Amino acid sequence: MGKPDFRLPPGVKDILPEEIPKWHYLEDIIRELAKLHRFREIRTPIFEMALLFQRGVGEATDIVVKEMYLFKDRGGRELALRPEGTAPVARAYVEHGLHTRPQPLKLYYVGPMFRHDRPQMGRNRQFHQFGAEIFGAPGPAADAEVIFLLAQFLRRAGVREWELELNSVGCPVCRPQLVAALKEYLEGRASHLCPDCRQRLERNPLRVLDCKEESCRQVVQQAPTPLDYLCSRCESHFRGVQEELYSLEVPFRLNPRLVRGLDYYTGTTFEVLSPRLGAQNALGGGGRYDYLVEECGGPPTPGVGFAVGLERVLLALERQEDSPLPKDEVRWGIFVVAADEEGRKRQAYWLKLLRSAGLPADRDYASGRGLRAQLKQADRHRARWALILGAEELGRGMVRLRDLESGEQVDLPEAEVIAWLRQKETGGS
RNA sequence: GUGGAUGUAGCUCAACUGGUCAGAGCGCCAGACUGUGGAUCUGGAGGUUGUGGGUUCGAUUCCCAUCAUCCACCCCA
């Protein structure tokens, strides 16, 4: 607290050591599942040319209009901290000619995203997403595949309650008709709409569909929805997605009024909601984007993907009764303790020996402290074992190992220590 | 961008309606118990009470502003 204001800017957080195991828990699951489903990782920079998002995500979207971190570099380039992951991956796909590789191409990413929103529960200005994309697969099986991966991730992570909402927002063939019909319907009832929605009527009438204002919801009850206007292609594609989801045993609910905030979506869109999150209740979402690659200057290439917010998954898990998240209480590693001068001479040797054998080892760095003080250090630093070196044992070619959990201790011949510890480590407890 | 609540040591909190009110517990550091930790005891560091103004003889306690946090709107992850 205090004088110069070096505190963190609003909406960003430090992740302290005791929280790291939770992140590793999720990250391990992500890597394992992505591999199992044969997705390969891609890492793109955290900033891009601002234009990528303006064009890719959409000039009129909230993300671009009011949430991007914009800055100029010394060359005068307009850059932006990435607010989402799909456009950058599409950009990389085009830039490196990934369309020349065997298609479809299945990619995933994990990393920080940045949005200048007002922070609240479940919403930070820097947050982390796990996302997956499939390029070059136009059929409904690809849509189902990414949704399946998302569902598997949530299940494997241990998220108990979530609901998948599914919709199709149509393609360039059918959407214009829908928009026209919707506009006509809404214009007739504009007086019943909230001020925001009267604006939306001009810019993006679809957004009126999921307004939470009670009066708007009334109006929208009978309004035409995308599902009423799907062309035959979209219709059969969407039916195909649903059939695949049945086969994959991923439960979902149709929500014809689900509208997403990014302009690039075509056809299938979906969102995963959690009842434990408060106002920001979306764990993840995604959909199909068949024109994004083209928009980024590549050849016409269909795409579909999702992104899931890792902070929100952690939040949901923390609020469950039976949280599977790892605790930070475990003792681990070996504290090398010197009982006397004789032991002190061997301390460095043992430290190196243990580490060379792959066993985590540490010591007290203060010079010449007594055995009691060193053990106290070992305990407070949550070490699992104390390796005690003293003239008494060393004289017989032995060292003493103390279990800091139970208090039991044994003397072992020096040559057997490594094997004994390894066995303890793998042999459970 | 809008609204509401909150803001005292690293953490959790205390200080009657403004007058020894700057404290406690935990944690941290040092030490004792003299080859054995998690117990106990002793000592110590650490706050100009978010910041800046104002009212007052006097403010942590009242008023204003500002910053930050939290929750909600909006939007989404």
Side-chain angles (χ1 to χ4, degrees), chain A residues 167 206 209-210 217 220-223 225-226 255-259:
Chain A
N167 193 23
L206 282 181
L209 286 176
D210 68 349
R217 295 178 60 164
V220 152
Q221 282 284 313
Q222 305 299 322
T225 71
N255 177 0
R257 281 179 274 281
L258 171 65
V259 178

Side-chain angles (χ1 to χ4, degrees), chain A residues 68-83:
Chain A
M68 275 213 291
Y69 277 92
L70 292 166
F71 62 101
K72 275 193 169 93
D73 71 4
R74 294 183 182 231
R77 278 174 282 266
E78 289 278 0
L79 304 176
L81 257 35
R82 62 181 184 193

Side-chain angles (χ1 to χ4, degrees), chain A residues 169-179 226 229-232 234-235:
Chain A
V169 294
C171 66
V173 175
C174 46
R175 190 152 13 167
Q177 294 174 50
L178 161 69
V179 171
Y229 278 80
L230 294 184
C231 61
S232 59
C234 286
E235 162 92 54

Side-chain angles (χ1 to χ4, degrees), chain A residues 85-101:
Chain A
T86 300
V89 174
R91 192 223 81 230
Y93 180 86
V94 171
E95 202 160 330
H96 299 98
L98 301 186
H99 59 279
T100 65
R101 301 192 181 185

